[in-house]
Amino acid sequence: MTETESIEYDVVVIGAGPVGENVADRTRAAGLSTAIVESELVGGECSYWACMPSKALLRPVIARADARRVPGLSQSVQGPLDAPAVLAHRDEYTSHWKDDGQVQWLEGIGAELYRGRGRLAGPRRVVVTGPDGKERVLTARHAVAVCTGSRAALPDLPGLAGIRPWTSREATSAQEVPGRLVVVGGGVVAVEMATAWQALGARVTLLVRGKGLLPRMEPFAGELVAEALTEAGAELRTGTSVESVTRENGTVVVVTDAGDRIEADEILFATGRAPRTDDIGLETVGLRPGSWLPVDDSLRVTGHDWLYAVGDVNHRALLTHQGKYQARIAGAAIAARASGEAAEGTEPWGAHAATADHAAVPQVVFTDPEAAAVGLSLAEAEQAGHRVRAVDVDLSSVAGAGLYADGYKGRARMVVDLEDEIVRGVTLVGPGVGELIHSATVAVAGQVPISRLWHAVPSYPTISEVWLRLLEAYRG
Ligand SMILES: Cc1cc2nc3c(=O)[nH]c(=O)nc-3n(C[C@H](O)[C@H](O)[C@H](O)COP(=O)(O)OP(=O)(O)OC[C@H]3O[C@@H](n4cnc5c(N)ncnc54)[C@H](O)[C@@H]3O)c2cc1C
């Protein structure tokens, strides 16, 4: 390899998932030449093995559950889901795992795509090993943005790889419904995939090490989702760990720490995520391979003025929308610094500081019922030292909820900061609440005073009237 082979750009982005794409979009829009390196498919985990396929699998499940709760309609939707049609729609939605559309989009914004594995080779240098084994050196005049995302983390169980367990990749791309599926884990991926595959015809057993589901949310979220999953026919075992797992004549055999033996056709480990940083040359710039990359609010890696880490890889909030938000900010910060501006996040609009990451992250769990939350839970707010009070509302008391579904079941919590009289967090659980959470995000991120919230009048008869009930409950 000679120096003449090095190609210079203003910005080099490693990883063309949703986050890398958005960094490139912003730097290109600012007139900076940008190369983007991708080792698999442009569009990343989200498009092919995460958000898109999982939501395509869940949409008919949720729509059918909603329809079954509407008098006059429920009789027409009592049958099973058409699993082959659902899987075929999922395949369409993931563009059959082809990235032509997204490659075209990259071309449209004028970013240069390099197919292959990108590795740092010292400050501002990235070596790309292409599919043909050929190496190219890219040099960044201003910034390298690491957007390599995360992968499923498997537990350390002897012989696990040999039994070909499902991770989120297989759970979102499987072409057949397994007869029996064991799901290990109680977080978002576990409950969403348990919901989808149970409704598609699998008999699901959920093994959860902790006390309940969705441990990062208010406790009632996990309780309501657990109740519904059980009603749907899934078996839920909490306080249960996997001791060993083998495959005998094709059948998965799980032995739990209680000594129980469970047989299944497939086993999904939804047991967390690990950063994709083990082989990206971090050691060449003094960082530890395999680690999450800590960043400041402009997404710059601590101690490196040219290196950014954006999206899952920095471990701030492992969500596409939050990663894309960071990407917009990182892109703006790179452009500002390239043009000599300070970009220290001091502008009133905070264009270069990802402040929402700290206390206003929204998340929707696409189960039946849906669970949606933004900001801090009561426990988190107390831990952070805020003096807060939580008010709860039974969603069945809201007129719009009664219209939405017969026998509507759900709950809402608003966590109010008693010093500043603003909302620190909101959690909503119930059918249809996913589309409501943005109202709470505006209240939390905007730090809207409770006294003003009374003047944000929700339409009648919508589930949004929960806001009135929450304010009334707070006023007492
Ligand atoms: C089952 C599941 C469902 C989810 N559902 C949702 C949802 O509904 N909503 C939501 O907001 N979030 C969801 N998420 C989270 C979401 O998928 C991630 O937050 C998002 O994909 C992160 O985007 P990213 O660009 O940081 O990383 P990724 O999407 O992981 O993209 C990283 C890209 O970098 C590439 N790459 C890695 N290493 C290299 C290298 N050395 N050289 C070149 N390229 C490299 C990868 O091939 C990949 O294309 C879900 C996650 C899972 C697992």
Side-chain angles (χ1 to χ4, degrees):
M1 196 163 42
T2 63
E3 270 308 308
T4 50
E5 284 174 282
S6 169
I7 311 165
E8 204 167 270
Y9 290 89
D10 289 325
V11 180
V12 177
V13 179
I14 310 178
V19 175
E21 287 179 323
N22 275 271
V23 172
D25 191 31
R26 289 299 154 130
T27 54
R28 281 299 303 131
L32 300 174
S33 64
T34 303
I36 186 162
V37 188
E38 175 53 53
S39 58
E40 294 185 81
L41 293 174
V42 174
E45 207 71 12
C46 177
S47 299
Y48 307 101
W49 300 286
C51 328
M52 305 272 283
S54 65
K55 267 74 250 182
L57 293 174
L58 283 159
R59 178 69 199 131
V61 179
I62 294 171
R64 180 181 66 160
D66 277 354
R68 282 180 170 177
R69 290 185 281 256
V70 179
L73 176 60
S74 58
Q75 279 314 102
S76 335
V77 285
Q78 287 305 317
L81 289 171
D82 180 348
V86 173
L87 298 183
H89 172 65
R90 183 272 322 268
D91 294 354
E92 278 287 308
Y93 207 58
T94 47
S95 309
H96 298 271
W97 292 272
K98 292 202 171 65
D99 63 2
D100 312 8
Q102 306 217 37
V103 170
Q104 222 177 6
W105 179 84
L106 274 182
E107 283 167 8
I109 63 164
E112 195 91 38
L113 172 64
Y114 287 83
R115 296 262 189 202
R117 176 160 296 278
R119 294 184 88 255
L120 289 163
R124 298 170 201 269
R125 279 161 66 89
V126 174
V127 175
V128 183
T129 310
D132 54 1
K134 201 173 156 203
E135 289 192 344
R136 285 196 172 83
V137 181
L138 311 179
T139 307
R141 272 186 289 266
H142 297 297
V144 174
V146 175
C147 307
T148 50
S150 65
R151 65 161 66 87
L154 287 170
D156 198 11
L157 285 169
L160 185 57
I163 66 135
R164 302 179 311 281
W166 278 11
T167 66
S168 47
R169 283 207 168 190
E170 290 76 18
T172 50
S173 62
Q175 292 297 328
E176 277 174 27
V177 180
R180 299 159 299 174
L181 174 67
V182 168
V183 177
V184 185
V188 179
V189 173
V191 296
E192 285 190 346
M193 290 299 91
T195 301
W197 290 107
Q198 176 70 34
L200 286 166
R203 262 188 293 130
V204 171
T205 305
L206 201 52
L207 304 180
V208 184
R209 200 168 45 180
K211 281 192 297 210
L213 303 178
L214 300 174
R216 300 223 173 123
M217 289 185 144
E218 298 285 6
F220 65 84
E223 287 160 20
L224 287 167
V225 170
E227 203 180 296
L229 264 172
T230 311
E231 262 171 38
E235 189 188 341
L236 172 62
R237 300 191 193 188
T238 53
T240 302
S241 298
V242 175
E243 197 82 357
S244 72
V245 54
T246 49
R247 210 182 259 275
E248 297 168 12
N249 300 322
T251 300
V252 173
V253 179
V254 183
V255 177
T256 70
D257 55 350
D260 294 334
R261 181 186 153 99
I262 305 166
E263 292 192 355
D265 299 292
E266 299 295 348
I267 182 165
L268 161 63
F269 281 89
T271 42
R273 309 287 299 170
R276 289 182 69 171
T277 58
D278 32 7
D279 189 25
I280 59 163
L282 288 184
E283 66 285 359
T284 69
V285 294
L287 295 166
R288 191 164 54 82
S291 58
W292 301 102
L293 294 173
V295 291
D296 64 18
D297 275 351
S298 71
L299 292 314
R300 202 158 52 162
V301 176
T302 317
H304 295 76
D305 64 359
W306 55 274
L307 184 63
Y308 292 71
V310 197
D312 276 15
V313 79
N314 64 34
H315 208 231
R316 286 188 146 208
L318 279 68
L319 291 162
T320 292
H321 47 270
Q322 217 61 27
K324 284 161 73 172
Y325 159 76
Q326 294 172 9
R328 295 190 286 273
I329 285 164
I334 291 168
R337 288 183 177 125
S339 70
E341 283 176 40
E344 297 308 335
T346 48
E347 319 81 342
W349 61 92
H352 305 133
T355 51
D357 282 352
H358 304 300
V361 174
Q363 177 159 29
V364 176
V365 186
F366 292 79
T367 40
D368 173 43
E370 290 171 350
V374 61
L376 305 179
S377 65
L378 175 60
E380 286 170 341
E382 285 174 344
Q383 256 167 28
H386 298 297
R387 200 164 66 80
V388 288
R389 179 153 78 86
V391 288
D392 287 4
V393 162
D394 180 344
L395 275 170
S396 66
S397 68
V398 177
L403 176 71
Y404 193 91
D406 213 22
Y408 190 104
K409 236 178 172 176
R411 192 163 154 195
R413 170 169 288 180
M414 174 169 77
V415 178
V416 181
D417 188 310
L418 298 172
E419 312 265 306
D420 301 331
E421 286 250 300
I422 54 170
V423 182
R424 290 278 174 203
V426 173
T427 300
L428 305 166
V429 183
V433 299
E435 290 296 339
L436 238 78
I437 200 64
H438 193 61
S439 57
T441 306
V442 172
V444 172
Q447 303 193 335
V448 182
I450 290 282
S451 57
R452 271 317 290 169
L453 274 181
W454 281 100
H455 300 278
V457 184
S459 297
Y460 176 84
T462 63
I463 309 175
S464 293
E465 283 198 312
V466 65
W467 281 104
L468 288 180
R469 303 290 94 79
L470 286 166
L471 291 169
E472 285 158 6
Y474 177 67
R475 187 184 54 190

